[in-house]
Structure formats: C-alpha cells, structure tokens
C-alpha cells in the first residue's frame, strides 16, 4: 500500500520517499518538485492516512519554513580546499574569493559577497528575483534527487528469529533511538539541503 502511494505521487516526474518502512500513524510522505519557469524547487511533507492512504494534508513545506526565517540564520557549508567551512568570503581560499568575484561575462565585478548573500536567500539587484506571486523561492530546482529521511530506524529486524537478528540489532537500535530525525535532498543550486 505504501509503495502505491509513492507511485501515485511520483507520477509528475519528481521523487518521493517516506519516513517509515511500514505505514503507521505518524508516517509522512516527502515529495520534491521543480519549477522550470524559474528553476526553483520545493520539498513538502504530507501526512499519510492509515485508513485510505490519502496524502491531502500538508504537514510542512520547506519553502514556507525557509521564507519565515531570516536569511542570516541559514547555514551554508562548503570546502575551501583543506577543510570544511561556512560559506562566507572570509573563510574561503583566495582562489575561491577571486572566482566568486567574476561574472558570467568573465569580467571581475567584485560581487562575490553579493553572490553568497543571494545563495543565502537575500534578494540582490541584478540577480534572479527570489520573490514570486506565491512566495519566496529559496530552493533550487530538485530534479533527479530523492528526499532521504534519516531518523531512528525500526525495520522490524528484532522480529526475526535469533539466528538472523542477534542482540546486536537491539543494541544498535537502542543507541540511536533518540537520534534527531533529518530530511536531506540535493538540488540543482549546488547544495545538499538538510
């Protein structure tokens, strides 16, 4: 039944996944989308009815959640050649800073900081407008990326006979029972959104 629900929601060319392997009361269906008019995307979580498998009620919408936050609270991460860092000019290598200061016409325009601000969600003159009639567009288009839910797994292995599921699975499950669930998906804006 759960696979049929995923198949129904994936018919529009986007990907879907669920928060559980077994349909239960708190199961969410995660779906990604893209808009080819401005190459933006979205990730939504919908409640799945245990009665009929319907997914009409939206639990949350990533685009709306991001729009409600100050852009300064977003954490963008990168790698500067030797280690990971936050995506701010001061933490980038000089080569990366120089590259960010070059425009599409291959001329130095000094807009590296503005480009980082735009990636963070700030509207910047001369760059694609982040606003639309339906709200702020803060995610890049999500194509060929399946959302991945990582939480406290319960795959039911503890129900297998002891020969197939030793006490090590129970120990593992207990060690991650309070793990904070996360949702991750890649987008064509160059980021893995978590």
């Amino acid at each position: 039944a759960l696979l049929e629900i995923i198949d129904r929601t994936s018919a529009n060319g986007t990907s879907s996944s669920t928060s559980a392997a077994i349909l239960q009361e708190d199961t969410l269906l995660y779906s990604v989308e893209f808009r080819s008019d401005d190459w933006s995307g979205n990730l939504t979580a919908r409640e799945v009815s245990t009665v009929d498998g319907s997914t009409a009620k939206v639990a949350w919408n990533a685009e709306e959640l991001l729009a409600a936050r100050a852009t300064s609270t977003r954490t963008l991460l990168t790698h500067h050649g030797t280690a990971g860092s936050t995506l701010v000019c001061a933490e980038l290598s000089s080569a990366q800073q120089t590259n960010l200061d070059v425009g599409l016409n291959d001329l130095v325009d000094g807009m590296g900081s503005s480009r980082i601000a735009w990636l963070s969600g700030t509207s910047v003159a001369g760059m694609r407008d982040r606003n639309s009639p339906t709200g702020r567009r803060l995610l890049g288009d999500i194509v060929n990326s399946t959302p991945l839910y990582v939480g406290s797994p319960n795959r039911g292995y503890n129900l297998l006979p002891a020969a197939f599921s030793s006490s090590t699975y129970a120990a593992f499950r207990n060690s991650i029972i309070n793990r904070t669930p996360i949702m991750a998906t890649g987008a064509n804006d160059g980021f893995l959104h978590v």
Side-chain angles (χ1 to χ4, degrees), residues 1-18 29-31 53 55:
L2 200 52
L3 290 176
E4 290 173 16
I5 295 167
I6 292 173
D7 286 342
R8 267 197 328 255
T9 60
S10 295
N12 61 5
T14 62
S15 299
S16 299
S17 67
T18 61
L29 175 74
Y30 302 101
S31 298
T55 59

Side-chain angles (χ1 to χ4, degrees), residues 5 23-25 27 46-56:
I5 295 167
L23 184 58
Q24 53 196 29
E25 201 63 37
T27 300
R46 297 180 177 275
E47 295 177 3
V48 180
S49 167
T50 57
V51 176
D52 63 3
S54 63
T55 59

Side-chain angles (χ1 to χ4, degrees), residues 15 24 33-34 36 60-61 81 91 94 97 112 119 134-135 143-145 153 155 171 175 182:
S15 299
Q24 53 196 29
E33 63 185 52
F34 69 94
S36 59
W60 55 262
N61 171 320
E91 294 191 27
S94 59
Q97 291 177 30
L119 288 170
T134 58
V143 180
N144 298 324
S145 180
R155 304 289 187 224
S175 73
I182 63 165

Side-chain angles (χ1 to χ4, degrees), residues 52-144:
D52 63 3
S54 63
T55 59
K57 185 175 180 191
V58 175
W60 55 262
N61 171 320
E63 199 166 55
E64 291 173 1
L65 292 173
L66 284 172
R69 293 175 55 184
T71 56
S72 61
T73 65
R74 291 184 77 181
T75 302
L76 305 181
L77 303 174
T78 189
H79 196 276
H80 60 67
T82 56
S85 68
T86 55
L87 183 56
V88 294
C89 278
E91 294 191 27
L92 299 177
S93 70
S94 59
Q96 289 172 315
Q97 291 177 30
T98 299
N99 288 336
L100 278 170
D101 280 336
V102 176
L104 293 175
N105 56 7
D106 287 333
L107 298 175
V108 175
D109 59 14
M111 292 187 60
S113 293
S114 295
R115 288 184 176 89
I116 291 174
W118 187 86
L119 288 170
S120 299
T122 301
S123 291
V124 175
M127 295 184 187
R128 181 175 57 84
D129 190 6
R130 291 272 190 196
N131 297 306
S132 79
T134 58
R136 293 185 46 78
R137 305 263 172 102
L138 299 171
L139 293 172
D141 59 298
I142 304 172
V143 180
N144 298 324

